[in-house]
Every structure is written in structure tokens, then in C-alpha cells.
Amino acid sequence: MSLAYQQRKRWKNHTGNQSVEPLRIYRPASLQDLREIVQVAERDGVTVRAVGSGHSWSDVALTTGYLVRTDRLGEPLEVDGLRRDYDGPALVRVEAGMRIRELNRLLADRGLALSQMGGYDAQTVAGVLATSTHGSGITLGPICDFVRSLDVVAGGGRLVRIERADGPTDPAAFGGRELRQDDDAFDAAVVGMGCMGVVYAATLAVEDAYWLTEVRELSSWEQARDQIASALAVNRHYEIYLNLYPRQSGEHRCIVCRRNRTKDARRRRATDRLRRHWWIELASSSKILPFFGNLILDALPDSAPRRTDQLLGWLADNEYTGPSFKVLNIGAANLLPAYSSEIAVPLEGNAHIRAIDALIDVAARHRDLGRVYHTGMVALRFVKASPALMSMMHGRDTMMIELIHATESEGGYELLGAYEDALYALGGRPHWGQVNTLTGSHDTLRRMYPAFDRWLAVRDELDPGGTFDSPFSKRVGISRR
Ligand SMILES: Cc1cc2nc3c(=O)[nH]c(=O)nc-3n(C[C@H](O)[C@H](O)[C@H](O)COP(=O)(O)OP(=O)(O)OC[C@H]3O[C@@H](n4cnc5c(N)ncnc54)[C@H](O)[C@@H]3O)c2cc1C
């Protein structure tokens, strides 16, 4: 084994709020490299964890053992072993370290597109699957729901292709390689939080390229909340950005954002992004203005509610039309110095409405007792129930509540923890990739996730020796060792 690695090198996530000094950092360039790394780690008695592009704010990607960077595993692959009678949607197969950005370009070149994506595109394919990353639109599940097949390097360096029972691969055409076609195995492995092995490749169902029109309309939560059900029924993508603090009128300002397919594909070429709030895009991508914004919030925390109202006013927009992957990407707002928690609450029983009431109370209480402010907006996104066993949307249509904070907010993490507790009481489940304080105590995961034991059974089979354990898996009580 002669694979190069770095020792005593610090690895940091994209925001810089998570870092670790693993024993080794590898940058494999092939499937064979991956298999060797797992085998060497097991020989050395060390754990392994793959990382994508480090866009998780939680500790989910950290490892103290051998860290595997996947930035050299981003090539398109052939869809191999396809059943002759396959007549489903178009499929694309890529190495799992490819970023969504490059995947979108690859698809656009072929006249294709993802049916759904999150609000950003710098994450990797394996990264978005591992944490059940999602967009918004109640007829569309998280991105993992569009995967049809996974090639995983499991414990022992064993390579196994995992699909549902009716998966697209023909066992006879798969040349004696290990193929596991089983619903539970697939639904467990697809949202694996790095604990199921290293994903080498994924095959996704995609569709013909399409365009979207986005409209962002200023409103108030008090108006918008009564229209959620009807709006979800008629809009492909629908989300709300909200200020938790009331205006003088007592109403909470929000933006209602709708995105729908358009036939009116007006080609806007290079200037299309600039036409969406061009000066906000410019201000957000510069380092200086957000830096001063953070300073102001630090010195004058009481100004946070007003600033959020201002920001919402700036974000309102009559129309933005473009290729789907450009419109679904919320733009330079992703570059602002911020971190967030995101909690999944069920739509059933109006838990989502009660959740916002609870958050408004928590925000007011922390302001009154400790002059601690929520320094960003709250994004509400709607996601179809997912079959993936440990997806936050497993088994229930969901409203995702993203609680965004400026990085320098004092008391920000404590406030996020208080929101989290309030939302757990309403059936909340935290996003694996966002800040959370979940622990393995009180049998919490088993109570949150009805299929938890089925997920564990698959994990035990793919990783019998605990090779893919990590500080995160220990914290939430899912370590194998
Ligand atoms: C600016 C920004 C915008 C975001 N927008 C959204 C959004 O719109 N919707 C949403 O739901 N989330 C969003 N997130 C969260 C983000 O999508 C997730 O945290 C995602 O998992 C990050 O992907 P990554 O490639 O950076 O993976 P990392 O953060 O590096 O890793 C995440 C997990 O994936 C595992 N992993 C990575 N590669 C592999 C592999 N090859 N094999 C096995 N496991 C692997 C890691 O071990 C880890 O458990 C956003 C985050 C940021 C910073």
C-alpha cells in the first residue's frame, strides 16, 4: 500500500465552526484507492470517515481516525448493468465526490436536470445524500429520494451495489459483483451519515431540462400561515422566509417565495443572476459588507429585528426566470457568514403552525431575559415524506424550519439549543448536517425514528467492525464499537 496521506493536518468545515486533526488525511483518486484505505484502516485498528465539501455545520463529517477527502472522485460514470427492460426516468451515474454544481452542468450539457435540489450547489452528491439534504415543494422528497443505486465501499473494503428490490441493475449483467437489491438495505444506506461505508458512486433519476419562474412576495406570517395548505397544492416549490420578531403592528414580516415551471424560457445569458437583486448578490458575495453587518449586530444586538425586516424587504422580487438549477439556488446569500440549525416538524395536526408560535415565544423570552437576539431570518421549506429510514422526513410530510444566525451573534448557539428543545416537544427531528445538540440519551433516536432498528441492522451488516464510527456517531448513540 503506497497511497499518499497527510499527517497532523487540521481539517475544517466550510464555515470554520468544526475542525479536527485526524490521524491521516487521504485524497483517493480511484475506487481501488478507497478499498485499500478502508482495509489499511482496519489493519491499523483505526476508524475511517469520508468527507464531501465540508458544508455541514454539525460534527457529522468529523473523524479522529483516517479522513478521506473525496474531491478527486468527481467524474461521470457509465450506467452499467442496466436491466434490458428498464423503462423508468433517465439515469445518470457519477462518482460521489462530484459537487452538485458540476452535476448540474453535466446534466445541462445532456439536456437534463435534477428534479429537486437544495438552495445551494457546492455540496457533493454523497454529502447531500448522507444528511438528507432537501429543497422545498410538498410533491418532492429530499434529494436522496431521487437515487436509484449506490456503490458503497463497506467494512473490509468490500464493494457492494445497493438498490431497492426493483432496482435498475440486472443481476445477470452485473458480472458476479456483489449486488444487494433490498428495500431496507437501500432505504437505510442512502441516508447513512457516513456510517454505512464510503459511497463511491450514485445513480440518480433525472428529467428533461426545464425552466422555473420565481416570485418573492412580501407578506406577514399571520396572513401566510392560513394559506400554506392551498399554496402547497398549486406551487411546485413554495417556501417562506420569516422574522421571529413582530413589527409595531404586531405582525411578523415574511416573504412568500413561489417557483413554478415556465414555458416562457426567456434566455438571459450571463446577466441572469445579476437581475435577481443584483446589488444584494454583490453585497453578499463581498467579504466587507457582511463583516460590518456582523460587527453592528454584535455592538447593537437590539437592532437585529429591524435589520431582518430590512433584509426581507430587499429580498422581495417580482420575477426571476431561468434554468431550474439557477433558480433553485438561492444565490449569494449562501456566502454570508452564518450558521444554522434546521428542525423537521410534521405537517400533521398543524404541528408546523404551533412550532412557529413556540419559536416566537422562545425568541421573545431570550430577548427579554438575556438581551440575546435571533440575528437572521427563519426559512420554512416543505418536503414530501421520504422512505429513507433515517431521513428527517421519514414517513411524514414535513416543514423544515431553518434557523439562520450571523456567525458573531452572542448567545446564538444557546438560542438554537432552546429552539431545538421546544421543537422536539412537537415531534421535531434535527437536520443531520446542521447545528444540533442531539445525544443518544433517553433512547431519543429510537423514539424519533420508527425504523431506527431496521437502519441499525443494515449498518451492522455493512460495518460489522465499527470502522465508520466517529465522534458524531458516539454523540448520538449509533456507534458500532
Ligand atoms: C451554504 C450552505 C447551504 C446549505 N443549503 C442546504 C439546503 O438548501 N438544504 C439542506 O437540506 N441542507 C443545506 N445545507 C446543509 C448541507 O447540504 C449538508 O450538510 C450536506 O450534507 C453537506 O454536504 P457536503 O458535501 O459538504 O458533505 P460534508 O459536510 O463534508 O459531509 C456530510 C456527511 O456526508 C458524509 N459523506 C460525505 N461524503 C461521503 C462519501 N463519499 N461516502 C460516505 N459518506 C460521505 C460525511 O461523512 C458526513 O457524514 C447547506 C449548508 C451550507 C453550508
Side-chain angles (χ1 to χ4, degrees):
M1 162 81 180
S2 56
L3 266 179
Y5 54 82
Q6 293 175 304
Q7 267 176 322
R8 302 186 56 78
K9 271 274 173 195
R10 180 160 284 265
W11 180 87
K12 279 202 251 173
N13 70 344
H14 146 275
T15 306
N17 68 321
Q18 300 284 350
S19 68
V20 69
E21 279 165 19
L23 292 173
R24 294 180 184 174
I25 298 183
Y26 284 98
R27 273 185 82 206
S30 69
L31 172 60
Q32 192 48 33
D33 289 352
L34 278 184
R35 300 184 72 174
E36 280 185 31
I37 292 165
V38 172
Q39 284 160 354
V40 168
E42 291 189 348
R43 188 198 62 203
D44 296 346
V46 167
T47 57
V48 181
R49 181 147 284 239
V51 299
S53 55
H55 279 71
S56 294
W57 284 288
S58 72
D59 55 351
V60 71
L62 302 187
T63 177
T64 49
Y66 294 169
L67 184 148
V68 179
R69 285 181 52 187
T70 52
D71 56 323
R72 293 167 75 195
L73 294 169
E75 293 299 317
L77 298 168
E78 161 202 1
V79 180
D80 58 336
L82 191 63
R83 281 194 276 116
R84 271 172 195 273
D85 60 350
Y86 177 80
D87 62 352
L91 297 176
V92 63
R93 179 165 170 259
V94 295
E95 287 187 326
M98 179 182 279
R99 293 184 309 168
I100 299 297
R101 187 171 300 165
E102 281 78 44
L103 176 59
N104 282 333
R105 279 192 209 127
L106 175 83
L107 292 173
D109 287 347
R110 298 181 185 178
L112 298 168
L114 292 173
S115 300
Q116 176 66 310
M117 59 177 265
Y120 197 35
D121 61 2
Q123 309 95 313
T124 61
V125 169
V128 298
L129 304 183
T131 63
S132 191
T133 291
H134 62 92
S136 191
I138 203 63
T139 59
L140 301 161
I143 303 171
C144 59
D145 286 8
F146 297 90
V147 174
R148 296 294 175 266
S149 185
L150 286 175
D151 294 334
V152 179
V153 176
R158 153 190 170 212
L159 176 65
V160 46
R161 175 166 292 185
I162 306 176
E163 311 182 338
R164 290 226 167 73
D166 61 355
T169 302
D170 177 358
F174 201 52
R177 288 171 286 166
E178 189 176 352
L179 173 65
R180 183 88 201 277
Q181 290 182 314
D182 173 86
D183 288 355
D184 255 22
F186 180 80
D187 289 334
V190 73
V191 177
M193 295 92 80
C195 301
M196 294 280 181
V198 182
V199 178
Y200 165 66
T203 303
L204 291 106
V206 294
E207 58 183 282
D208 288 344
Y210 56 99
W211 280 47
L212 292 171
T213 291
E214 172 186 274
V215 176
R216 292 176 177 176
E217 194 186 329
L218 262 183
S219 181
S220 72
W221 169 244
E222 287 68 20
Q223 267 184 1
R225 69 181 168 201
D226 297 330
Q227 293 160 12
I228 289 177
S230 53
L232 287 176
V234 295
N235 291 289
R236 188 175 198 264
H237 305 272
Y238 179 79
E239 59 200 59
I240 296 174
Y241 310 129
L242 167 71
N243 187 350
L244 287 181
Y245 300 105
R247 300 163 74 79
Q248 275 188 342
S249 63
E251 289 194 324
H252 295 78
R253 192 174 226 195
C254 75
I255 283 190
V256 171
C257 175
R258 302 180 182 85
R259 302 185 190 101
N260 286 298
R261 282 178 191 270
T262 181
K263 292 202 181 88
D264 175 25
R266 278 172 282 161
R267 311 268 156 186
R268 290 186 176 177
R269 280 190 253 163
T271 53
D272 55 359
R273 167 167 288 195
L274 291 180
R275 291 190 189 196
R276 183 205 237 171
H277 326 292
W278 64 269
W279 63 274
I280 290 229
E281 290 289 301
L282 213 60
S284 313
S285 15
S286 89
K287 293 248 182 304
I288 300 167
L289 288 180
F291 172 77
F292 282 113
N294 245 324
L295 274 189
I296 292 172
L297 286 171
D298 198 24
L300 302 168
D302 312 288
S303 69
R306 211 162 8 97
R307 301 218 171 276
T308 303
D309 268 354
Q310 239 168 21
L311 179 65
L312 289 172
W314 292 335
L315 286 174
D317 192 13
N318 287 341
E319 193 202 298
Y320 171 54
T321 296
S324 57
F325 60 92
K326 292 198 176 185
V327 178
L328 292 173
N329 185 332
I330 63 164
N334 282 303
L335 307 176
L336 290 170
Y339 58 86
S340 63
S341 282
E342 192 170 29
I343 314 288
V345 292
L347 295 186
E348 203 179 358
N350 271 339
H352 61 303
I353 305 289
R354 286 183 285 133
I356 301 303
D357 293 342
L359 293 179
I360 289 172
D361 284 351
V362 171
R365 192 174 148 73
H366 278 246
R367 178 196 56 201
D368 297 344
L369 293 179
R371 214 175 150 224
V372 170
Y373 280 86
H374 190 94
T375 55
M377 58 191 188
V378 174
L380 310 179
R381 292 184 280 180
F382 301 86
V383 193
K384 186 179 164 193
S386 169
L389 304 186
M390 291 296 272
S391 158
M392 297 79 75
M393 302 90 193
H394 174 74
R396 58 192 207 188
D397 287 345
T398 294
M399 181 172 89
M400 295 299 294
I401 307 177
E402 189 175 25
L403 299 141
I404 305 159
H405 257 283
T407 40
E408 301 308 318
S409 324
E410 263 182 49
Y413 283 101
E414 291 76 3
L415 189 51
L416 291 185
Y419 292 143
E420 205 179 323
D421 289 345
L423 296 183
Y424 284 176
L426 293 166
R429 297 170 179 161
H431 190 309
W432 297 112
Q434 305 227 16
V435 172
N436 67 79
T437 61
L438 195 67
T439 72
S441 69
H442 303 87
D443 215 13
T444 309
L445 280 187
R446 188 164 282 111
R447 288 193 288 134
M448 271 183 186
Y449 288 95
F452 178 57
D453 288 310
R454 285 156 57 201
W455 185 90
L456 280 183
V458 175
R459 195 284 312 271
D460 290 354
E461 188 211 310
L462 290 175
D463 184 24
T467 303
F468 305 104
D469 284 352
S470 72
F472 156 81
S473 67
K474 186 173 173 185
R475 167 169 73 87
V476 303
I478 54 174
S479 280
R480 174 74 178 136
R481 290 186 190 208

